[in-house]
């Protein structure tokens, strides 16, 4: 992961990987984390609430627009079980993925998101109505851990919108976020 230090591009301090074996492991970890992020987007598009929830640890936390933080894989599955059936068509993309390994079994990741969701009818959370054919652009932030089974999963995920269309439009939430990302804030 990169940052700017004294006006120049610099590497963010990561957990050291010195030996060839450690460096190869780091590459494998980064690739596995990228796959977790891609899995999340694919499962949202497929309407697979259980697949989305599988991205998270048992006590994982999801912070997103229009709802309070959701804690726990079961509650995340329930939320997406309610959200996804209301989306008739969906296309999510993630890019510009940056991963910072902060410990042998911990990392943070940040990526750009763009999404199109066609609901077919309105869906609401309290006073916020999500309109048909909503376009969203922004950032996903993840805190990830390697669990005892060797798989990387999200202990926290935060969704921030740079721009969103529809009656519940949101924008600018990505501005002023800490770097490297702090997904639990």
């Amino acid at each position: 992961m990169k940052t700017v230090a004294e006006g120049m591009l610099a590497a963010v301090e990561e957990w050291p990987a010195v030996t060839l074996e450690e460096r190869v492991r780091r590459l494998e970890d980064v690739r596995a984390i990228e796959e977790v992020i891609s899995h999340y987007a694919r499962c949202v598009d497929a309407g697979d609430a259980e697949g989305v929830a599988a991205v998270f640890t048992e006590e994982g936390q999801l912070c997103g627009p229009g709802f309070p933080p959701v804690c726990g894989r079961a509650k995340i599955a329930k939320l997406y079980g309610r959200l996804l059936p209301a989306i008739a068509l969906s296309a999510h993309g993630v890019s510009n993925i940056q991963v910072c390994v902060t410990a042998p079994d911990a990392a943070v990741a940040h990526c750009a998101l763009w999404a199109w969701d066609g609901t077919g009818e309105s869906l609401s959370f309290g006073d916020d109505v999500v309109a048909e054919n909503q376009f969203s652009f922004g950032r996903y932030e993840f805190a990830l851990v390697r669990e005892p089974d060797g798989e990387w999963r999200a202990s926290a995920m935060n969704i921030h919108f740079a721009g969103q269309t529809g009656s519940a439009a949101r924008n600018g939430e990505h501005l002023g976020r800490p770097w490297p990302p702090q997904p639990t804030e």
Side-chain angles (χ1 to χ4, degrees):
M1 183 177 280
K2 298 295 183 185
T3 191
V4 175
E6 298 178 15
M8 299 190 56
L9 188 64
V12 170
E13 188 173 327
E14 292 188 87
W15 188 262
V18 179
T19 68
L20 180 58
E21 181 178 278
E22 291 169 335
R23 292 171 60 201
V24 169
R25 175 74 181 251
R26 172 73 47 86
L27 291 171
E28 291 172 342
D29 289 342
V30 168
R31 180 64 192 111
I33 290 166
E34 291 171 343
E35 182 63 27
V36 168
I37 294 168
S38 295
H39 176 87
Y40 169 84
R42 182 181 58 77
C43 287
V44 169
D45 290 345
D48 180 1
E50 292 298 321
V52 169
V55 165
F56 292 87
T57 62
E58 189 64 35
E59 299 301 320
Q61 176 180 307
L62 171 69
C63 295
F67 56 87
V70 179
C71 297
R73 185 183 298 142
K75 288 182 180 177
I76 292 168
K78 184 176 179 181
L79 171 68
Y80 277 87
R82 179 175 168 228
L83 287 174
L84 296 178
I87 300 172
L89 302 167
S90 180
H92 284 71
V94 293
S95 68
N96 305 357
I97 299 173
Q98 292 182 292
V99 177
C100 177
V101 178
T102 58
D105 296 324
V108 293
H110 175 273
C111 66
L113 79 93
W114 63 96
W116 170 75
D117 295 314
T119 61
E121 56 187 73
S122 67
L123 173 68
S124 65
F125 290 103
D127 295 334
D128 292 334
V129 176
V130 179
E132 293 183 29
N133 297 323
Q134 183 168 314
F135 296 90
S136 303
F137 307 90
R139 305 280 182 265
Y140 291 140
E141 295 174 347
F142 290 87
L144 301 115
V145 295
R146 185 191 337 263
E147 295 212 289
D149 65 359
E151 293 292 328
W152 284 93
R153 292 190 182 88
S155 58
M157 178 185 175
N158 229 328
I159 305 169
H160 300 282
F161 287 113
Q164 186 179 52
T165 63
S167 60
R170 306 174 74 87
N171 63 59
E173 296 171 354
H174 67 300
L175 299 173
R177 294 290 300 151
W179 193 254
Q182 300 295 317
T184 56
E185 291 182 358

